[in-house]
Amino acid sequence: MTDTEFEITADLVRELLQEQHPDLAGLTIREVEGGWGNQMWRLGDELSVRMQRMDVTPELQLKERRWLPVLAPRLPLPVPTPVRSGEPSERFPKHWTVMTWVPGEPLDHGSISRGAHAADTLAGFLRALHVEAPADAPVSSDFGAHPKRCADGFEQFLQAIDPDAVGDAGAVRAVWDDAVAAPEWEGPPVWVHGDLHPANVVISDGTLSGVVDFGALFAGDPAWDLGAAWVLLPAGTAARFFDAYARADEGTILRARGLAAMKSLFLMLMGQNGDRGLPGGKPNWGPAGRAALDRVLKGV
C-alpha cells in the first residue's frame, strides 16, 4: 500500500488524537462525504480533522495553517480556522489539522434559492478577501496565471468531454478567446481563494453561509475568484454581483468569464468521470458544471 492509498478510518483518527491531542480524543468522529486531496472528519459539533490523503506534499495544509488565522478575522463569512496541528507519525506518515467546522450544506448537494442575497454575500466576502497581500504571501504554479497561459488546460478539458454534453463548442471557445485577449491584471497581487466551486462553499437558508478549502490560496489576479459569479450563483445574478463587488474593470470581467468557462468544463469532466466510475469522479458535479457553463455562455 502506497502513501496515497493509506486507509483512513475513524479508529485511526481517534488513535492520532489520543497520541497528539488526547483532550480531543473523546469527541464523536464522523466521516464527511467528498474530498480528494484531503479527507475530512467531523470532530464533535464544532471541529473537523483534515487528513492529507492524495495531495503529494503537505504544502496546502501548511499554507492553511499559516494564513487562515490571519485572514479569518476580517472575512464576513465563516471559514475553517486551524486550532491544532497533527504531525506525521508511525501511525500516519502525513500531516493532519484540527480545524473549526463550518456549518451548512455543500452547494454541490444543494441549491441557492435567494439569489440576490447570495450575490451580495459573495461580493462582500470577495471584497474583504481581495486586499493587497503581503510580500511573503504564497504564489501558485497551478492557479493565478493569465488565461493565455492556461490554453493547454482549457483544451484538455474541452476535448475530454463528450461533445454532445458540451453542445456549442464554438461559443465556449469564443468566451475563452475573449479572456485570452483581455489585458493582464495590473493591480497589486491580492489574496485569492483560487478554487471557488460548488463543493468549496456551503449554504444555509437558501444562500451562501461559508467558504471552505483554502488549499489553493495565493496572491494574484482576483479574476480567478470572480468567475464564481457564474460558477456559484443562480442565473440572472452575475450583474448584481459585479455591481456590489464594484472593483472589476472590463478586462477583469472578461478574464473571469473565461476562467468560469474553464472551471465549468472541469466540473463537467469530473462529473463524466464519476458517471464512468473512474477514480476521483464526482457524478453530482456534472449537472452543476453544465448549469454553470450555460450561465457563462449567456453571460448572466
Side-chain angles (χ1 to χ4, degrees):
M1 180 177 291
T2 66
D3 283 352
T4 55
E5 297 169 338
F6 203 99
E7 184 179 9
I8 303 173
T9 65
D11 288 341
L12 173 62
V13 175
R14 192 173 304 282
E15 290 173 2
L16 294 174
L17 289 168
Q18 289 171 341
E19 181 181 78
Q20 300 188 34
H21 300 289
D23 58 312
L24 302 179
L27 296 174
T28 303
I29 299 172
R30 292 163 285 171
E31 185 174 4
V32 178
E33 181 183 355
W36 178 245
N38 294 277
Q39 185 174 3
M40 295 289 292
W41 294 80
R42 186 85 179 266
L43 182 61
D45 293 328
E46 299 181 353
L47 300 174
S48 63
V49 181
R50 188 163 167 82
M51 308 283 291
Q52 182 189 343
R53 181 168 60 180
M54 298 303 294
D55 285 345
V56 295
T57 75
E59 291 178 7
L60 303 187
Q61 275 206 36
L62 298 180
K63 179 166 51 176
E64 289 183 323
R65 291 184 191 177
R66 168 68 178 88
W67 292 108
L68 279 176
V70 175
L71 297 174
R74 60 178 177 78
L75 296 176
L77 288 177
V79 300
T81 305
V83 296
R84 303 282 184 90
S85 297
E87 303 306 320
S89 66
E90 290 186 5
R91 282 190 175 90
F92 185 66
K94 297 187 176 187
H95 287 73
W96 51 281
T97 306
V98 179
M99 312 183 81
T100 56
W101 174 256
V102 178
E105 179 185 28
L107 180 55
D108 64 331
H109 287 82
S111 62
I112 292 173
S113 57
R114 299 165 61 197
H117 187 281
D120 293 345
T121 300
L122 180 62
F125 177 84
L126 292 180
R127 281 179 61 89
L129 176 63
H130 291 169
V131 299
E132 186 171 354
D136 59 340
V139 295
S140 176
S141 58
D142 297 323
F143 299 89
H146 188 281
K148 64 187 177 185
R149 291 186 284 277
C150 303
D152 289 346
F154 172 82
E155 283 295 331
Q156 179 183 350
F157 295 152
L158 185 59
Q159 295 297 326
I161 301 169
D162 185 335
D164 291 338
V166 174
D168 190 348
V172 179
R173 290 187 187 279
V175 170
W176 181 253
D177 290 344
D178 285 344
V180 169
E184 299 266 1
W185 169 248
E186 295 182 351
V190 300
W191 282 115
V192 180
H193 178 282
D195 198 20
L196 291 176
H197 62 70
N200 285 345
V201 298
V202 297
I203 58 171
S204 298
D205 299 322
T207 190
L208 291 175
S209 59
V211 179
V212 300
D213 195 346
F214 282 73
L217 182 72
F218 67 90
D221 181 358
W224 278 80
D225 281 349
L226 298 178
W230 296 282
V231 174
L232 299 180
L233 297 176
T237 57
R240 181 180 181 118
F241 165 82
F242 282 109
D243 285 345
Y245 181 78
R247 294 179 184 169
D249 59 21
E250 181 180 359
T252 299
I253 293 174
L254 289 173
R255 294 194 307 278
R257 190 176 173 211
L259 292 167
M262 183 167 68
K263 179 70 74 175
S264 301
L265 292 174
F266 166 74
L267 294 171
M268 292 173 66
L269 178 58
M270 293 292 284
Q272 177 178 283
N273 289 347
D275 292 340
R276 295 176 178 178
L278 299 177
K282 307 283 186 180
N284 57 316
W285 286 17
R290 177 68 258 178
L293 187 61
D294 287 342
R295 294 190 291 269
V296 168
L297 295 178
K298 294 175 183 177
V300 298

